[in-house]
Amino acid sequence: MMTRPHSVVMALLLLAEVSRFGEGASNPGFVVRITERGLEYARQYGMAILKKELSAINVPDLSGSFQAGWMGSVSYEFKWLRIRSFQIRNIDLSLLPGTGVRASLSNNYVSIQGNWKVKKAFVTLEGTFDLSMDGISILIHLNLGKDWSGRPTASVAHCSNSIGHVSIHISGHLSWVLNLFHERIENKIKDILKQEICRIVRMSTSSYLEPYLRTLPVTLMTDQVAGIDYSLVGAPRVTSQGLDTPFKGEFFSRSQRTPVPFDAPPIRLPQEHDRMVYFAISQYVFNTASRVYQEAGHMNFTIRNEDIQKLNMLLSNHSAQEWWNPNCLASETTPFTTMISCFISSYLLLLLQIPLDFPIQLHTKSLGTVIPQLSRLYPNTELELEISPESAPLLLFTPGNVTFKPVMNIQAFALMPNSSNREPLFQLRARTNISATVSVSSGRVLGSVTPGSKLELELKHSNIDSFNVKLLESIFNYYASYIIFPSLNEKLEGGFPLPLPRDTYLYSVQLQIHKNFLFIGANID
Ligand SMILES: *[C@@H]1O[C@H](CO)[C@@H](O)[C@H](O)[C@H]1NC(C)=O
Ligand SMILES: *[C@@H]1O[C@H](CO)[C@@H](O)[C@H](O)[C@H]1NC(C)=O
Ligand SMILES: *[C@@H]1O[C@H](CO)[C@@H](O)[C@H](O)[C@H]1NC(C)=O
Ligand SMILES: *[C@@H]1O[C@H](CO)[C@@H](O)[C@H](O)[C@H]1NC(C)=O
Ligand SMILES: *[C@@H]1O[C@H](CO)[C@@H](O)[C@H](O)[C@H]1NC(C)=O
């Protein structure tokens, strides 16, 4: 249930003063927008937190003196004041476009207990008192920015308050003396507390909120390989649509962080504010992840003949992930870009096990039909393919479409019988161009893929003389357009559940692809 306090913290604390994205700074990797509706949700949880915090406030001792008729000047002290109850009856959070966020707490009630002491000459009287205050209103304007380390900062730009009615009940030895002047005491305490409330608000901000914000982490380790940097790249910004907070959103390698050789593209958020929260996720986030996992070798795959058998089994089992390379099924946390690479190797696997007139296996008996010298040079030998991206595959988001243009190297080996040796045979370069559209409906992701171009094969290197790559290519493309894409689309039409972290309850999810980014809107429950 960590996400709830977290989203409240996000909503309550990332309250901001106006600033512009990218004033000299870099573009964000992702932007979180909290709308008025989102703030309303945060308010309910914020109220509980605020009530707890306010009840724990230390009310300072009060002292002073007053003229008590025939007694002359009497000095008093109120000590050990404790808040017994703090009732926040009304709290209203609102966005002030261009300025910040306003929290208005009204019709609150506080009851305080404490001890009193009155001194006049040599006489000291003491006892206890109960004090209650009604109709307290507090108005706070908070400004938020970012510090040098990319953490949010908070400051109180404005604080004012008013107190409706104070009543005090004094008990103790000779308390009737004080009760004679209770109205004056009440007014005095009212004045003092009126000054105190905003001092306490400012003090809580500087001694509680600010240190808290300074300790917020700005990186998160996603797994053994990568971490993500989500420091702020600009101050949060309030518009009529909501509170937009820009994060860096850059994946980095845990073993060695190197500068990313490309920039985050600009993000132009659409004018939408129906949902509680929106997330704009730049292609930059995916592409920095792609770079890290590719460099770490997580997109290198080996396909053996047995994988084709495994895939056949999966297919006959009607598994939900039928078309995945079984090697990719190992981890639940497979990053998206590795999934793309899995997709490509799965695609190849599927191509290989498609029922041709002659079923292809990773075996010279089978591939020898297309590459005749194979069966001559290596009769009855199993083959193995090593697939690796030539460079990190990059995603491109265009309105309505995600496109990727992977360039993969495919190295074929012959597995020598009775030894662990493999003979390198040839290396192919495969290029293709695939577009995907995605949408969300009733909590499921639906999609379709279209080949943007045919798969192009090129013989990069061969130890077994050249052979007709075009023949291999046209076989691949024939099956891609008549079998692979139609069957893939049939599955994507059925959809799959939205991959969300545990303890995240989103509903009314909408998903759009805009230029350079994915835009997701949702309500939280
Ligand atoms: C991935 O495969 C390529 C081609 O075989 C190789 O050059 C690269 O070193 C591999 N990467 C890792 C991290 O193993
Ligand atoms: C097939 O499905 C059954 C039951 O869902 C499962 O136990 C079995 O492991 C699956 N077999 C394969 C090869 O995935
Ligand atoms: C997505 O890309 C495909 C292939 O390039 C194209 O035919 C289609 O019109 C695009 N869709 C949109 C919404 O732009
Ligand atoms: C190769 O393996 C086969 C069967 O596994 C065995 O009969 C044969 O003796 C082996 N040959 C060599 C040279 O080890
Ligand atoms: C990808 O598709 C676009 C048009 O959709 C085309 O202009 C481009 O040449 C293709 N790239 C490759 C590598 O096939």
Side-chain angles (χ1 to χ4, degrees):
M1 299 301 285
M2 283 307 290
T3 50
R4 282 184 179 176
H6 190 71
S7 52
V8 171
V9 166
M10 293 277 274
L12 281 176
L13 306 186
L14 300 185
L15 310 173
E17 196 178 21
V18 68
S19 73
R20 283 148 297 278
F21 284 159
E23 33 179 47
S26 49
N27 291 316
F30 65 94
V31 180
V32 177
R33 166 175 291 172
I34 299 167
T35 63
E36 291 269 6
R37 276 191 71 191
L39 224 48
E40 171 62 24
Y41 170 84
R43 188 185 70 89
Q44 297 163 18
Y45 291 93
M47 221 152 125
I49 292 174
L50 218 53
K51 183 172 168 174
K52 189 165 155 277
E53 290 305 324
L54 289 174
S55 304
I57 282 175
N58 279 326
V59 186
D61 294 349
L62 311 173
S63 59
S65 61
F66 57 90
Q67 290 297 323
W70 51 267
M71 286 172 74
S73 175
V74 173
S75 65
Y76 64 84
E77 275 180 73
F78 288 87
K79 297 178 85 156
W80 301 312
L81 282 72
R82 296 174 304 280
I83 293 179
R84 270 185 3 151
S85 125
F86 205 120
Q87 288 177 29
I88 300 174
R89 299 213 178 98
N90 228 325
I91 171 169
D92 183 47
L93 289 177
S94 55
L95 295 169
L96 302 173
T99 41
V101 173
R102 194 182 72 144
S104 156
L105 296 81
S106 57
N107 195 21
N108 309 296
Y109 167 88
V110 186
S111 84
I112 296 174
Q113 246 183 353
N115 294 40
W116 61 264
K117 194 189 264 185
V118 167
K119 281 188 197 157
K120 173 69 191 168
F122 310 108
V123 187
T124 299
L125 305 174
E126 50 194 337
T128 59
F129 71 90
D130 289 298
L131 177 128
S132 63
M133 290 193 290
D134 240 332
I136 307 172
S137 300
I138 311 172
L139 184 69
I140 307 163
H141 286 194
L142 272 183
N143 283 349
L144 262 96
K146 91 173 188 36
D147 69 9
W148 60 272
S149 66
R151 292 178 172 85
T153 56
S155 60
V156 177
H158 167 87
C159 177
S160 59
N161 70 83
S162 62
I163 298 172
H165 179 71
V166 177
S167 74
I168 189 163
H169 176 76
I170 296 166
S171 55
H173 190 55
L174 291 178
S175 60
W176 60 269
V177 176
L178 274 176
N179 274 324
L180 287 177
F181 310 105
H182 71 96
E183 214 168 287
R184 269 188 256 172
I185 295 172
E186 281 162 11
N187 284 337
K188 181 81 185 170
I189 288 185
K190 188 169 162 178
D191 283 350
I192 290 170
L193 282 171
K194 197 165 155 16
Q195 286 164 32
E196 279 300 308
I197 286 172
C198 280
R199 196 185 66 82
I200 287 168
V201 166
R202 286 178 205 278
M203 197 185 67
S204 308
T205 308
S206 64
S207 64
Y208 177 78
L209 187 57
E210 284 174 18
Y212 171 74
L213 293 176
R214 274 198 296 275
T215 61
L216 282 181
V218 289
T219 57
L220 174 77
M221 297 308 152
T222 53
D223 57 23
Q224 294 304 311
V225 177
I228 183 167
D229 176 341
Y230 59 92
S231 53
L232 301 188
V233 295
R237 173 184 166 202
V238 180
T239 69
S240 55
Q241 311 295 316
L243 171 66
D244 293 346
T245 307
F247 297 88
K248 192 176 186 91
E250 179 181 300
F251 274 85
F252 58 88
S253 163
R254 289 184 70 170
S255 59
Q256 192 194 7
R257 188 166 180 174
T258 53
V260 179
F262 45 85
D263 290 330
I267 283 182
R268 282 183 64 90
L269 291 176
Q271 305 262 313
E272 294 215 24
H273 57 269
D274 294 342
R275 304 292 197 275
M276 291 179 182
V277 284
Y278 290 90
F279 304 93
I281 308 164
S282 170
Q283 63 198 32
Y284 183 75
V285 177
F286 297 101
N287 292 339
T288 53
S290 177
R291 175 176 170 261
V292 170
Y293 288 99
Q294 189 260 334
E295 281 174 4
H298 278 235
M299 295 188 185
N300 287 4
F301 292 102
T302 303
I303 299 181
R304 301 192 178 84
N305 204 35
E306 71 213 44
D307 294 322
I308 298 178
Q309 314 303 324
K310 266 196 256 168
L311 190 76
N312 269 319
M313 257 159 66
L314 283 175
L315 283 171
S316 62
N317 218 359
H318 298 294
S319 153
Q321 288 145 314
E322 290 166 55
W323 46 278
W324 285 109
N325 174 351
N327 292 333
C328 303
L329 295 176
S331 158
E332 270 187 22
T333 59
T334 312
F336 187 70
T337 43
T338 301
M339 279 162 57
I340 292 168
S341 169
C342 275
F343 168 78
I344 294 157
S345 56
S346 305
Y347 174 75
L348 275 163
L349 264 174
L350 270 179
L351 285 168
L352 286 167
Q353 61 85 55
I354 288 302
L356 296 165
D357 292 343
F358 45 94
I360 285 190
Q361 295 213 350
L362 280 177
H363 201 282
T364 51
K365 275 195 278 187
S366 176
L367 272 178
T369 330
V370 191
I371 310 167
Q373 63 267 46
L374 259 189
S375 39
R376 216 171 45 240
L377 292 166
Y378 300 94
N380 202 19
T381 306
E382 263 194 30
L383 301 171
E384 186 173 281
L385 299 179
E386 248 183 33
I387 299 168
S388 58
E390 199 163 87
S391 57
L394 300 184
L395 295 184
L396 181 70
F397 291 100
T398 51
N401 264 334
V402 190
T403 308
F404 57 107
K405 300 180 184 178
V407 180
M408 310 293 284
N409 286 325
I410 305 169
Q411 173 69 52
F413 295 93
L415 299 179
M416 302 317 285
N418 288 13
S419 90
S420 58
N421 283 350
R422 353 176 259 183
E423 287 285 326
L425 300 176
F426 57 86
Q427 194 181 36
L428 296 171
R429 178 188 282 133
R431 293 171 191 278
T432 188
N433 202 330
I434 297 171
S435 284
T437 61
V438 275
S439 59
V440 173
S441 170
S442 336
R444 291 175 78 76
V445 180
L446 313 177
S448 71
V449 285
T450 30
S453 69
K454 298 214 174 293
L455 180 80
E456 285 171 32
L457 285 183
E458 179 192 336
L459 188 60
K460 272 181 88 177
H461 178 78
S462 176
N463 293 342
I464 55 161
D465 228 341
S466 69
F467 53 89
N468 192 346
V469 181
K470 287 289 158 207
L471 180 59
L472 210 55
E473 190 184 275
S474 46
I475 294 173
F476 273 24
N477 280 312
Y478 177 84
Y479 282 99
S481 32
Y482 291 100
I483 295 172
I484 302 298
F485 281 102
S487 78
L488 197 54
N489 281 329
E490 197 182 306
K491 301 207 169 82
L492 291 174
E493 251 171 51
F496 48 90
L498 198 64
L500 287 175
R502 267 185 276 273
D503 295 332
T504 303
Y505 309 94
L506 298 182
Y507 66 99
S508 307
V509 179
Q510 74 175 63
L511 187 152
Q512 298 162 354
I513 306 171
H514 289 262
K515 184 174 158 56
N516 302 338
F517 67 98
L518 210 59
F519 192 58
I520 300 169
N523 291 334
I524 308 166
D525 193 10

